[in-house]
Amino acid sequence: MKTFQTHSAEQTIALGRELARRIKPGSIVLLRGDLGAGKTTLAKGIAAGFLAAEEETVTSPTFTLIHEYRGPDVTLYHIDLYRIDTQRELDTLALDDLIGPKNILLIEWGEKFQSFARDRDLEISIEHAVGDGRRFSVTPWANKIA
Ligand code: ADP
Ligand code: MG
């Protein structure tokens, strides 16, 4: 596990750009943290890092549920499951269809569902610190069973 700290939204976006270099195509990445922790802000940097979107065009998929950003090498799917409560609702999103060797799934609130809690490749947890401070814990997992 690696930890990082930022003190502003701008620093979190810069961290996202850095972290993008550690995220392998094909990955499922869980972004964990309370409302307002900075998950979507970090996603702006990650999308920018992959040249998949300008940071300001990355907005919260709270209502749209899935946003797609196409980069030259990978397509990033930014997903927010905050409003999804049941497995049946989750199934209608057909997220399995988005998993692929050139795709990255960046999921907010994915830990609500056992399948993602188990099958994630990388987990980035965000905690509030003093003021605008945020602490990030980045944990890679390699427990996938084929
Ligand atoms: P989440 O997606 O986790 O609900 P957002 O990224 O949408 O959170 O919102 C985070 C809010 O906190 C934004 O308004 C952002 O400007 C603010 N903020 C303040 N400091 C930071 C920081 N260090 N990192 C990220 N966001 C921060
Ligand atoms: Mg969000």
Side-chain angles (χ1 to χ4, degrees):
M1 184 181 82
K2 285 212 163 67
T3 59
F4 304 88
Q5 204 155 356
T6 69
H7 301 94
S8 68
E10 290 70 28
Q11 284 184 8
T12 292
I13 292 171
L15 176 64
R17 286 177 181 269
E18 277 299 309
L19 291 179
R21 301 198 283 162
R22 304 167 190 236
I23 301 174
K24 293 194 188 74
S27 295
I28 296 173
V29 181
L30 293 193
L31 300 179
R32 301 186 64 158
D34 294 341
L35 279 177
K39 302 180 292 297
T40 296
T41 303
L42 188 72
K44 288 172 184 276
I46 294 173
F50 279 106
L51 305 175
E54 305 279 339
E55 58 194 50
E56 54 277 0
T57 67
V58 176
T59 56
S60 179
T62 304
F63 296 99
T64 42
L65 304 180
I66 304 171
H67 287 170
E68 179 183 299
Y69 303 106
R70 286 179 189 236
D73 301 318
V74 297
T75 298
L76 204 73
Y77 291 97
H78 182 200
I79 297 154
D80 190 337
L81 300 181
Y82 185 70
R83 288 162 52 84
I84 301 298
D85 291 318
T86 65
Q87 184 65 43
R88 189 175 294 234
E89 286 176 277
L90 182 67
D91 290 344
T92 64
L93 296 180
L95 297 181
D96 284 352
D97 295 349
L98 304 181
I99 296 169
K102 289 187 144 190
N103 297 345
I104 290 169
L105 272 57
L106 212 52
I107 311 179
E108 301 188 26
W109 302 102
E111 72 277 8
K112 283 167 61 174
F113 296 95
Q114 207 204 341
S115 53
F116 291 121
R118 192 190 54 220
D119 287 342
R120 72 271 178 275
D121 299 286
L122 192 70
E123 199 167 288
I124 304 176
S125 293
I126 312 174
E127 286 177 355
H128 280 261
V130 184
D132 282 346
R134 301 289 193 275
R135 275 194 217 96
F136 297 79
S137 311
V138 180
T139 311
W141 301 93
N143 61 347
K144 275 204 176 163
I145 298 161

